[in-house]
Amino acid sequence: MSQQQPGSPHRPRPGAAPRRDQQLQGSPDQAEPLTPAEDRQWATLAHFGGFLGCIPSLVIYLVFRHRGPFTAQEAKEALNFTLPPTALAIVANLLALIPIVGGIFGIVAMLLWLFMTVSGVAAGIQCNKGRPYRYPLNLRLIQ
């Protein structure tokens, strides 16, 4: 009958650090699906992010589109809605630097931001209730 050594792999010592092969297991190949509450939460955040332009909805769409169907649908809707006004706002902000007519473009940029913010909040409120939202003025560039 053999005795186990204090450092044998069959019985770890109390208070000892885990072995290297136990410590570095990595992440699963696929991320777990979102719960219904998380799905609704990320869909809502995709719309609420409209005040920052198209970046929040793009990030949410790329990260969560395979994990939650409601998030994928609503993030794509928000991305399609915010992409053209974001591009126009960038151009308007650049044109606002022109000395004489720059004030007009500054106002246009501010109105675009206000439009995206108000529309995103209205859509986010509907999504938070679990209802899909369709923007009335949407090009739907991303299918």
Side-chain angles (χ1 to χ4, degrees):
M1 184 175 219
S2 68
Q3 289 183 324
Q4 287 185 339
Q5 298 297 323
S8 77
H10 300 290
R11 200 166 115 210
R13 292 178 301 199
R19 292 188 337 235
R20 184 169 176 80
D21 60 337
Q22 290 175 338
Q23 197 173 31
L24 303 174
Q25 294 181 3
S27 62
D29 290 338
Q30 282 189 322
E32 293 184 21
L34 296 173
T35 65
E38 290 171 335
D39 201 16
R40 191 175 68 244
Q41 174 189 14
W42 284 110
T44 301
L45 289 174
H47 288 290
F48 280 161
F51 78 96
L52 294 173
C54 65
I55 300 300
S57 55
L58 174 64
V59 169
I60 291 170
Y61 178 70
L62 292 175
V63 172
F64 293 106
R65 68 179 169 199
H66 297 297
R67 294 182 60 195
F70 191 58
T71 297
Q73 171 188 328
E74 295 303 313
K76 185 174 16 171
E77 182 74 10
L79 179 59
N80 279 323
F81 175 73
T82 57
L83 190 59
T86 300
L88 289 175
I90 290 171
V91 170
N93 278 309
L94 291 174
L95 293 174
L97 300 173
I98 298 174
I100 295 175
V101 292
I104 295 169
F105 290 110
I107 291 171
V108 168
M110 188 225 20
L111 290 174
L112 283 168
W113 175 81
L114 186 64
F115 173 68
M116 285 193 307
T117 300
V118 170
S119 299
V121 168
I125 289 171
Q126 292 299 313
C127 278
N128 197 34
K129 295 177 182 176
R131 300 181 199 142
Y133 188 82
R134 300 279 289 187
Y135 290 98
L137 301 171
N138 202 346
L139 295 178
R140 291 179 182 76
L141 300 169
I142 299 167
Q143 299 294 324

